[in-house]
Amino acid sequence: MSCGSSSRHRQQLMQEMIYDAVRPPPPPPPPTSTTTIRSVLKQSNEPIKTKRPVKNSINNGKPDKLADLLNLEEAESDAETTKKVQALEGLKRLVKELQMEKEENKRAAASRVRLLTKDDPESRVTLAMLGTIPPLVAMLDFEDSNSQIAALYALLNLGIGNDQNKAAIVKAGAVHKMLKLIECPNEPSQAVSDAIVANFLGLSALDSNKPIIGSSGAIPFLVKTLKILDKQSGCQARHDALRALYNLSISPSNIPFIMESDLIPFLVNALGDMDVSERILSILSNVVSTPEGRKGISIAPEAFPILVDVLNWTDSPGCQEKASYILMVMAHKAYRDRQAMIEAGIVSSLLELTLLGSMLAQKRASRILEVLRVDKGKQVSGNLGGNTSAAVSAPIYGSSANQYGKDCLVEEGMMSEEKKAVKLLVQQSLQNNMKRIVNRANLPQDFVPSEHLKSLTASSTSKSLPF
């Protein structure tokens, strides 16, 4: 019999027993006319004999196995309870070992906690309730690096998927002790440093921990670690440091600490490494939400040319979307940044993005183009206003025909100035595109465009500009 049919069988038997237990007894038959008072009294004085329930035979007359099934279920329940009690007693002994004075016992207990909590959420909850966190945090004061590593990874596993444990670890002073390990005269080993970075990553996932960790001095350590491990694509600590900085950048209160650490120029220059570029753009997307963050990106060397170049990464739509978001926010906030974007050749990249990018990238590119169009309209209006005043102040002597001719000359002068500005923008855009094509084709750096291309650039008109 399969497990499913056995379970249904057991449920059916239990329902029949419950029904038999709650079913009321049949009423006594009514007395016949020949019943005497003595016989009724005799019947009432006799003790009532309880009838045992008759076991129903099922399965075509086979003997009923209800008693065996009930005994088996009870035995399984007792065994499971006994197992849980034994496991709980084992965890209690483990916590007592953590509270012993001998460092060896504590280190062995911490290693045991690390193994038990690696994949078992229930053990994380139980061990935290039994008081495992404070002695593990206290172990960070030991000078032995093996004890430090055992305690750090035990704390890391206790916090996986458990916000209460994350908060309890920070409340117990773990962040302060980790930074104390970093700042000690004897620099910690690479293994200890990697374990601290992993803990900052796990603890920073909780929103209430973000301001505490950010203001504690952890950000400079993470930035230093990131710079030391730069270009090591396979290093887990490098990715952990980036992810921890991303978590911390979500809190606006941490942006000033990020700006003080000189992180932004480093991140901008690191764009191009496809292992970390999307994560870097995610950090910049959080930083750009504050005025000081926008200022930091704006003054970073070559920030706008690099971000504009990301718009052309057709094989990485996530990077295109994040770069377009950063540029969109900055274009909405500052005229100076918009001019820097135009000089970096953003117009042609945006046009290409509106045609070939993802839906989100197309939408953001269109918004940036709209802002740039508004700027161009204001500039033209300003030029028209200035020239109109000059025309009004012109002498009024002479015939009407001469006056009309002068007005036409003024208008032609205004249009020529506008055409010159448009022509300059088009030339800059085409030249920047040519540079990018040369770089992608791995051509020599001294490659010079042909005279035919230069003539095409010089003869371009305002029709190619999206204003």
Side-chain angles (χ1 to χ4, degrees), residues 17 30 66 131 134 177 188 282 310 394 428:
M17 286 186 61
L66 179 58
K177 291 184 181 294
S282 298
V310 176
Q428 291 176 350

Side-chain angles (χ1 to χ4, degrees), residues 5-36:
S5 60
S6 175
S7 177
R8 290 192 298 270
H9 185 193
R10 183 181 300 177
Q11 292 179 0
Q12 181 181 0
L13 294 176
M14 293 298 295
Q15 291 176 357
E16 291 179 359
M17 286 186 61
I18 294 172
Y19 177 74
D20 291 339
V22 300
R23 183 174 57 189
T32 59
S33 58
T34 58
T35 303
T36 61

